[in-house]
Amino acid sequence: MTSGAANGFCGTCTHILDTISDLTVQSNLVHHRSIKALEESAEEACGICTVLLDHLQSSAFQQVPDLWDRLFPIICSYYMESASREGSFELHLSSQGVNKLRLEFVFDLIKASVGDHCRYIPSSSTDSAQSWELISQWLNRCAQNHGRCNAPIPKPWGPTRLLDIGTVDDGDVRLVTQAEGLSSKQPYATLSHCWGIALPIRTTVSNIDDHRKGIHYMELPNTFRDAVNIVRALNLRYMWIDALCIVQDSPEDWRRESCMMSNVYRYGFINIAATGAAQSSEGCFWKREPNAIKPTEVSIRWHGRGGRSESKRYLVLPEPRKWAGKLVNEPLNRRGWVLQERILARRVLHFGHEQLFWECRESVACETYPLTLPSRLQGNRLVDIKMLGLIEEPRDNQWPREYMERCGTFLGRTWSTITKPLRSSITLNATMLSASVYRDWNAIVELYSLGTLTFPKDKLVALSGVASAISASKRLASDDKYLAGLWQASLPSSLLWKTEKIDSAWGGRQEAIIPTRYDGYVAPSWSWACIRGKIWVAWCHTHHFKRYLAVLKSAEVELATEARFGQVRSATVTLSGPLACVKWQPVNICSNVDPVVASITNIFPPSLGQDKAARVPPGIFTGAEIHFDTADEELPRVLILLSVYTQTEIVTETFSEIECVCGLVLRPQFTESGPLQRKPQYSRLGVFHTTRPGVCRTLATMPRQSVVIV
């Protein structure tokens, strides 16, 4: 039996569980035979049937012809051999008539005492007495018990401007400044939101004086009004909203305030996220179906050998591998700017379409799982992004005031990080010293690449707050440098990012997102920031078993503004390593929209002509060796490959070891002095990864050269 706070099972699902509780082998059972039976079970709040019906009514199935005629019967498959021993098992729903139907349900053993998962009963709105009671519990638990979320700050600091929202009995709000005596110790909230097509109100040079006198409550868009009410309910008096606290038509004010963005969110008491709203007019609160929020629990009496039986209680997790999408695919979290706001804030309260989410540096929870996420849902970096530990205690002598003052008085726009030649051992040791922070940064980059930006020039700016906070923390070597989205001590590994095409379902439609380079200069070709689209960083991770073939000789960045972690005007890295010329042939020749992948056919040293190219015979490892960044670039017939590292990989099918070589795909980029210059610069076209023994040996033993990549 379950309480009213949890969904149970309908007769059909209960019959399936009763049947499989006596079986120890894989078998199939019929689930539902008609849409009418499925709808009736969903109305009874059956946890499995509710998820199934919602899944079938999603956009993914809207284009399936004759869906309801072809769908039934639905088949339930399972494998129960170790369920009673290991504590969990899976059910899968499918259809012989509709191949797209593949639903997974994990039955996770509940080891806590009865009632721990069923105390919260959701209502039909995120603005309800139940919701506010849960918010209060989350906030009190965090404020009283979480050491990381309440770590003391080195010195008091406050934003240049805040909104004085008054109390629950007040109406209008007004803009206040530090010059007016605003205390740097005053707690305040921040707001993360989507502006939408048109934001009805913002602070400008012409109206800032009026906003200091007061802003009428009804002039605020719905999202701002709801946020004001939320913050008042939390007994806070001050709030920071970007549209009102930054002078939007003043480039000087924007540059100064954006330089302090990391502090704004780090020093805030809580960040209110209008996660479900794509427009400022939509607000923070949403109606929903309570049964879709409730967890599903069930008790199963297992019948063992010798007539013995044992009853166990399970939490049913639908599609755990896709569960992160409930938070990540909301409109706000599709926005590039919001990622650093989530990371930097101590705690975030998400007001989503379907339910409330809580994020802090020690806990993630939601209305379905109000205490904490089940273990099977934890460890997903898309959800656990705040728990990576990127933002730890800063150095007292750098952050925040002294550091920001240095940023503000930066002389000139060129930050030169030209270093002395680095031996491979030095680079490797520096990287291993702070390996965890670079792995975390790579995870941030992957997630950030999924977001969208209105202005390409914001690509580095929208992550600058996180970069500046990391730079000022204790987690990096003191002489590490930030290079247009990468960290110097993580080079050359971190240059080996790869683009990926992804299929996205959002806003009721399916769309393919194809990586492209931005029009105009946003970042150097070797930085992931030059790409619009998904970035994959598995080859960037530093491991002790890699043998580096290339080393970083120098790096130089010319900034576009005074902001050290913001826009760049130009940037170069100089690497020394084995350099080869290769001919290639495409592997996916049938696709004209995907980034091209190719195999190597010929190899020759750069000092020799193409007529000296040695043909590489195909082998069992021949396949996609070269991965180009985009699908829309004109590709030369001869490529330059710079080998970066070699390592041993395990072939899981045979448990054998093979060597691989991974590196950069380049093309010469001649300057105005013409193609006769001795040392051209190079631009990146992609990356390569090969496991063909002959190719690996040849690439790794090519003559070493220094190349300048722009």
Side-chain angles (χ1 to χ4, degrees):
M1 296 184 61
T2 60
S3 77
N7 292 322
F9 275 15
C10 65
T12 298
C13 293
T14 300
H15 173 71
I16 289 175
L17 290 183
D18 289 342
T19 302
I20 67 178
S21 65
D22 281 318
L23 299 180
T24 58
V25 295
Q26 186 174 4
S27 180
N28 291 334
L29 292 169
V30 173
H31 186 240
H32 278 297
R33 297 182 180 275
S34 69
I35 181 61
K36 180 180 179 181
L38 177 60
E39 289 175 339
E40 289 175 349
S41 292
E43 290 178 1
E44 295 176 16
C46 173
I48 284 184
C49 295
T50 298
V51 172
L52 173 60
L53 183 60
D54 183 66
H55 184 64
L56 293 171
Q57 292 174 338
S58 67
S59 60
F61 289 90
Q62 295 305 303
Q63 306 304 320
V64 177
D66 303 321
L67 172 63
W68 305 117
D69 293 332
R70 297 166 49 197
L71 181 67
F72 299 97
I74 294 173
I75 305 301
C76 176
S77 59
Y78 52 90
Y79 188 69
M80 307 299 302
E81 183 175 355
S82 60
S84 59
R85 295 196 311 272
E86 297 181 358
S88 66
F89 64 95
E90 297 179 5
L91 294 184
H92 298 264
L93 298 182
S94 60
S95 167
Q96 295 179 348
V98 179
N99 293 331
K100 293 180 68 174
L101 178 59
R102 292 287 188 276
L103 263 183
E104 174 191 30
F105 294 84
V106 173
F107 285 64
D108 202 27
L109 182 66
I110 298 176
K111 299 178 181 179
S113 60
V114 175
D116 281 353
H117 291 270
C118 51
R119 291 174 179 171
Y120 175 72
I121 302 178
S123 70
S124 60
S125 170
T126 52
D127 184 16
S128 66
Q130 297 96 312
S131 300
W132 283 108
E133 175 61 26
L134 182 61
I135 291 170
S136 177
Q137 292 176 13
W138 284 338
L139 185 56
N140 289 338
R141 187 183 307 132
C142 178
Q144 296 173 12
N145 302 323
H146 293 172
R148 289 183 60 201
C149 303
N150 298 287
I153 55 179
K155 292 183 179 180
W157 184 89
T160 304
R161 306 178 188 93
L162 285 172
L163 288 173
D164 183 348
I165 63 171
T167 66
V168 291
D169 298 323
D170 294 323
D172 296 348
V173 303
R174 69 184 185 93
L175 196 63
V176 294
T177 67
Q178 289 185 355
E180 297 174 285
L182 182 65
S183 172
S184 59
K185 297 181 180 180
Q186 184 65 53
Y188 63 92
T190 55
L191 174 67
S192 291
H193 66 106
C194 291
W195 285 38
I197 298 174
L199 190 68
I201 187 171
R202 64 191 73 187
T203 295
T204 63
V205 173
S206 62
N207 67 16
I208 186 171
D209 290 336
D210 291 334
H211 285 184
R212 287 194 183 110
K213 298 175 183 176
I215 306 172
H216 196 278
Y217 177 80
M218 295 308 297
E219 292 181 26
L220 301 174
N222 289 335
T223 296
F224 290 11
R225 290 204 296 266
D226 286 348
V228 167
N229 291 334
I230 292 167
V231 175
R232 285 173 174 170
L234 298 178
N235 294 318
L236 295 175
R237 179 155 183 165
Y238 294 95
M239 189 174 190
W240 189 91
I241 301 178
D242 54 357
L244 297 176
C245 294
I246 299 176
V247 182
Q248 297 299 313
D249 58 352
S250 170
E252 178 183 355
D253 194 74
W254 173 255
R255 283 195 297 268
R256 182 178 62 252
E257 295 301 312
S258 64
C259 193
M260 296 186 289
M261 196 73 73
S262 64
N263 289 349
V264 169
Y265 288 95
R266 286 190 70 174
Y267 273 83
F269 180 77
I270 190 171
N271 184 49
I272 306 302
T275 308
Q279 306 286 337
S280 61
S281 60
E282 293 179 341
C284 296
F285 303 116
W286 301 89
K287 298 289 186 181
R288 77 279 179 85
E289 170 53 54
N291 289 335
I293 312 302
K294 294 178 181 179
T296 298
E297 297 179 18
V298 64
S299 293
I300 301 178
R301 180 168 293 279
W302 297 102
H303 302 283
R305 296 176 180 176
R308 292 177 299 177
S309 63
E310 181 182 11
S311 181
K312 293 187 177 182
R313 190 160 149 265
Y314 294 86
L315 185 64
V316 184
L317 309 176
E319 291 289 281
R321 287 174 294 182
K322 299 180 181 179
W323 189 86
K326 290 182 176 291
L327 177 62
V328 177
N329 290 335
E330 289 276 40
L332 179 65
N333 289 330
R334 303 269 301 191
R335 175 176 168 255
W337 274 97
V338 79
L339 181 60
Q340 74 170 358
E341 298 167 10
R342 284 179 60 194
I343 295 171
L344 293 170
R346 300 185 183 208
R347 44 189 76 91
V348 182
L349 178 58
H350 292 273
F351 287 82
H353 262 118
E354 186 180 90
Q355 61 178 306
L356 304 174
F357 279 83
W358 173 269
E359 289 184 298
C360 66
R361 295 174 186 169
E362 295 193 20
S363 176
V364 179
C366 62
E367 290 183 85
T368 301
Y369 310 110
L371 295 180
T372 188
L373 297 186
S375 58
R376 293 292 292 265
L377 301 182
Q378 295 177 9
N380 188 322
R381 64 175 178 268
L382 299 179
V383 175
D384 292 350
I385 200 71
K386 288 189 63 57
M387 302 174 71
L388 288 177
L390 278 169
I391 313 302
E392 296 297 343
E393 279 308 290
R395 297 188 184 97
D396 288 358
N397 63 349
Q398 280 196 338
W399 181 86
R401 186 155 294 145
E402 289 82 353
Y403 173 72
M404 299 313 303
E405 287 174 355
R406 285 205 306 275
C407 178
T409 59
F410 196 84
L411 299 178
R413 292 188 174 181
T414 301
W415 171 43
S416 177
T417 60
I418 300 177
T419 64
K420 296 179 180 180
L422 300 174
R423 296 188 303 275
S424 60
S425 60
I426 296 177
T427 302
L428 179 59
N429 289 338
T431 305
M432 293 305 297
L433 189 64
S434 303
S436 63
V437 73
Y438 301 125
R439 287 195 299 269
D440 290 349
W441 176 258
N442 288 338
I444 295 294
V445 167
E446 276 200 354
L447 183 52
Y448 179 65
S449 69
L450 296 173
T452 59
L453 292 167
T454 304
F455 304 106
K457 288 292 185 181
D458 289 342
K459 187 74 172 190
L460 290 169
V461 180
L463 208 58
S464 62
V466 177
S468 64
I470 292 174
S471 177
S473 74
K474 297 179 180 179
R475 299 193 63 195
L476 295 177
S478 59
D479 58 348
D480 204 353
K481 302 296 190 296
Y482 185 68
L483 306 171
L486 291 79
W487 298 95
Q488 179 173 292
S490 71
L491 270 58
S493 279
S494 59
L495 295 169
L496 300 178
W497 48 268
K498 185 169 77 75
T499 61
E500 280 191 335
K501 169 191 171 183
I502 59 173
D503 294 318
S504 175
W506 183 65
R509 66 181 186 278
Q510 293 279 343
E511 60 177 342
I513 302 177
I514 311 296
T516 60
R517 295 192 190 275
Y518 287 110
D519 295 331
Y521 189 86
V522 173
S525 67
W526 44 265
S527 171
W528 54 266
C530 73
I531 297 293
R532 177 194 286 110
K534 172 71 169 63
I535 299 298
W536 184 78
V537 296
W539 293 341
C540 297
H541 297 324
T542 301
H543 300 292
H544 66 277
F545 47 81
K546 285 182 179 177
R547 181 169 67 88
Y548 284 87
L549 303 171
V551 295
L552 175 69
K553 304 285 288 186
S554 64
E556 185 174 357
V557 173
E558 182 183 356
L559 298 171
T561 70
E562 290 82 2
R564 178 184 171 190
F565 302 97
Q567 298 177 18
V568 298
R569 189 184 304 281
S570 65
T572 63
V573 292
T574 302
L575 300 176
S576 175
L579 208 65
C581 294
V582 302
K583 292 183 179 180
W584 57 279
Q585 63 182 15
V587 174
N588 57 339
I589 57 177
C590 296
S591 174
N592 59 0
V593 295
D594 296 344
V596 178
V597 295
S599 61
I600 299 169
T601 60
N602 301 76
I603 305 177
F604 58 97
S607 58
L608 300 179
Q610 296 187 39
D611 57 325
K612 304 294 183 181
R615 181 162 183 82
V616 180
I620 60 174
F621 299 114
T622 303
E625 296 173 307
I626 295 173
H627 303 261
F628 293 101
D629 291 337
T630 67
D632 57 354
E633 291 183 284
E634 185 176 344
L635 302 172
R637 188 67 194 92
V638 175
L639 302 170
I640 307 296
L641 301 190
L642 175 66
S643 298
V644 173
Y645 68 75
T646 179
Q647 73 175 27
T648 300
E649 294 182 346
I650 305 297
V651 181
T652 56
E653 292 83 0
T654 61
F655 295 100
S656 58
E657 294 184 349
I658 58 173
E659 289 294 318
C660 79
V661 173
C662 192
L664 295 169
V665 180
L666 308 171
R667 80 159 126 209
Q669 182 171 302
F670 297 99
T671 61
E672 295 180 358
S673 58
L676 297 180
Q677 65 176 1
R678 290 183 58 191
K679 293 184 178 180
Q681 294 181 331
Y682 294 83
S683 60
R684 171 187 156 128
L685 287 175
V687 288
F688 73 89
H689 176 276
T690 181
T691 56
R692 282 194 281 174
V695 175
C696 288
R697 286 193 298 269
T698 303
L699 292 177
T701 57
M702 278 285 168
R704 299 181 65 88
Q705 294 187 33
S706 291
V707 294
V708 179
I709 310 174
V710 296

